[in-house]
Amino acid sequence: MKPTLILALSGGPDSVYLLHKLLKQDRRPILAHLNHRLRGKDSNGDERFVRQLGKKYGLKVEVERHDVAAYAKRHKLSIETAARQLRYAFLEKIRQKYQASTPRKKAIILTAHTLDDNLETVIMNELRRSKNSRSKGANPFRGQIGMRKKCGFIQRPLLDICKKTILAHLRRQRLPYRTDASNYDLSYRRNWIRHVLIPRFTDKNPHLYKEFAAARKKALRTYEKHTQTAEDWLKKNGEHTPPKIPIAFSLAPFKKLSNDRQMFLLQHLYEKTYGSTVGLTTAQLEEVH
């Protein structure tokens, strides 16, 4: 039985490309759109565009509106962090809704993150680590991995595809999409990395994306090896209840592990319990540790 697909559709080029790729494969996703209410009429225009796509292709559309700026101020977060938290919470709510309606059928979330997005994420993580030397992280390999293609109920099928490839395809097929002017606002850290820092890197190293992709694959193999080690340890030392997720373990064998393995184990346990590590910070892991 094929899973129910929930596509996070902003209306931008990447998510529109993924939608058409799915339709070409005769897969009919539910379109999920969060109106961030950050750009006034433009935000509402994005929502209308997504609804029109749903109507055009006969797809279900789920929309939610949030005042991201107010949420960020209330919780003392950056706009980027607030938007990400609200977006993933919305997507998970939609996933649970359709999972509950067909309990025997798995529901998964698809996002349209690209190779470019992942390189930006890795650089952002490295900048944070260098700013806070104390923060080593639970997983030293994640700095080279960034996002993964599969993480719990979330899948990112475009992680190996460059933005240039996507834009070229949309131009050839004359497929319309929305452009977010805020993506060029350099006051946002990710935009500065995208439009200023990475071009400087690629000027010096034209093979940056190719080398990043190769380094990421190597780090992934290491990550998978450590994940299996954590699984083996939990099978041996964890106390299990249905659905076979360990809810406790003895401190004695845990203390025998190195600090890095202890932190990795805690992160792995969190991911097993909640389906992903989205929103989990190094500071939270250190507090638990």
Side-chain angles (χ1 to χ4, degrees):
M1 185 179 290
K2 289 185 178 180
T4 298
L5 302 181
I6 298 160
L7 173 60
L9 186 66
S10 67
D14 304 335
S15 57
V16 168
Y17 172 86
L18 180 53
L19 170 61
H20 286 280
K21 186 176 180 181
L22 292 169
L23 291 172
K24 195 172 181 180
Q25 298 169 355
D26 200 27
R27 303 173 78 185
R28 302 179 59 77
I30 294 154
L31 308 183
H33 177 79
L34 182 68
N35 185 335
H36 297 81
R37 295 172 60 188
L38 288 170
R39 296 165 28 248
K41 292 181 180 179
D42 285 341
S43 290
N44 294 334
D46 294 344
E47 181 183 325
R48 282 195 302 273
F49 178 71
V50 169
R51 290 187 185 278
Q52 288 166 0
L53 284 175
K55 186 176 180 180
K56 179 178 180 179
Y57 296 109
L59 303 173
K60 291 181 181 179
V61 179
E62 296 281 354
V63 173
E64 194 166 282
R65 297 178 181 180
H66 276 286
D67 188 336
V68 171
Y71 178 88
K73 184 177 181 180
R74 187 163 63 250
H75 295 277
K76 298 181 180 179
L77 301 169
S78 69
I79 292 291
E80 295 164 292
T81 300
R84 184 173 63 251
Q85 286 185 3
L86 289 170
R87 185 165 57 250
Y88 277 107
F90 162 64
L91 291 170
E92 175 58 16
K93 184 170 75 173
I94 299 303
R95 189 196 70 79
Q96 289 186 14
K97 173 184 174 179
Y98 286 93
Q99 181 75 61
S101 65
T102 52
R104 294 179 62 190
K105 193 174 183 180
K106 185 179 180 183
I108 61 173
I109 297 164
L110 299 179
T111 70
H113 291 101
T114 65
L115 182 65
D116 302 57
D117 294 322
N118 208 19
L119 177 58
E120 293 160 14
T121 297
V122 165
I123 292 173
M124 287 180 72
N125 291 341
E126 289 301 317
L127 288 174
R128 285 195 197 101
R129 261 215 292 272
S130 63
K131 185 177 180 181
N132 182 4
S133 58
R134 176 175 167 268
S135 181
K136 296 180 179 179
N139 180 3
F141 326 109
R142 288 298 288 274
Q144 297 173 38
I145 295 171
M147 293 177 279
R148 285 178 288 155
K149 279 193 172 183
K150 294 183 180 181
C151 183
F153 300 115
I154 298 170
Q155 295 187 15
R156 305 178 178 98
L158 304 184
L159 270 191
D160 294 327
I161 300 180
C162 286
K163 186 91 166 185
K164 287 182 180 179
T165 301
I166 289 172
L167 292 174
H169 175 84
L170 294 175
R171 282 194 298 268
R172 285 195 305 270
Q173 300 298 319
R174 297 183 179 180
L175 296 172
Y177 57 86
R178 298 282 294 177
T179 300
D180 184 349
S182 68
N183 285 336
Y184 298 91
D185 183 348
L186 298 184
S187 65
Y188 293 114
R189 181 183 296 181
R190 181 178 285 274
N191 289 344
W192 179 80
I193 291 171
R194 178 181 300 163
H195 298 296
V196 178
L197 190 59
I198 290 180
R200 291 177 184 172
F201 288 162
T202 53
D203 282 345
K204 294 182 178 181
N205 180 9
H207 305 294
L208 176 66
Y209 284 96
K210 184 178 179 180
E211 291 177 3
F212 166 65
R216 182 178 177 277
K217 285 183 180 179
K218 183 178 179 181
L220 266 172
R221 288 195 294 269
T222 305
Y223 177 80
E224 289 164 359
K225 179 181 176 182
H226 283 256
T227 297
Q228 187 57 56
T229 300
E231 277 288 293
D232 293 342
W233 190 92
L234 286 171
K235 285 178 183 177
K236 182 179 179 181
N237 299 284
E239 298 176 13
H240 297 73
T241 58
K244 297 185 178 179
I245 293 176
I247 58 169
F249 52 79
S250 298
L251 277 179
F254 181 75
K255 288 180 177 179
K256 293 179 181 178
L257 301 174
S258 67
N259 186 77
D260 285 346
R261 285 190 63 190
Q262 289 175 358
M263 292 285 280
F264 188 95
L265 186 64
L266 292 175
Q267 176 194 273
H268 178 68
L269 186 56
Y270 182 97
E271 184 174 346
K272 281 178 69 69
T273 304
Y274 296 106
S276 94
T277 56
V278 172
L280 180 64
T281 66
T282 297
Q284 290 169 335
L285 279 167
E286 288 175 344
E287 184 178 356
V288 172
H289 185 253

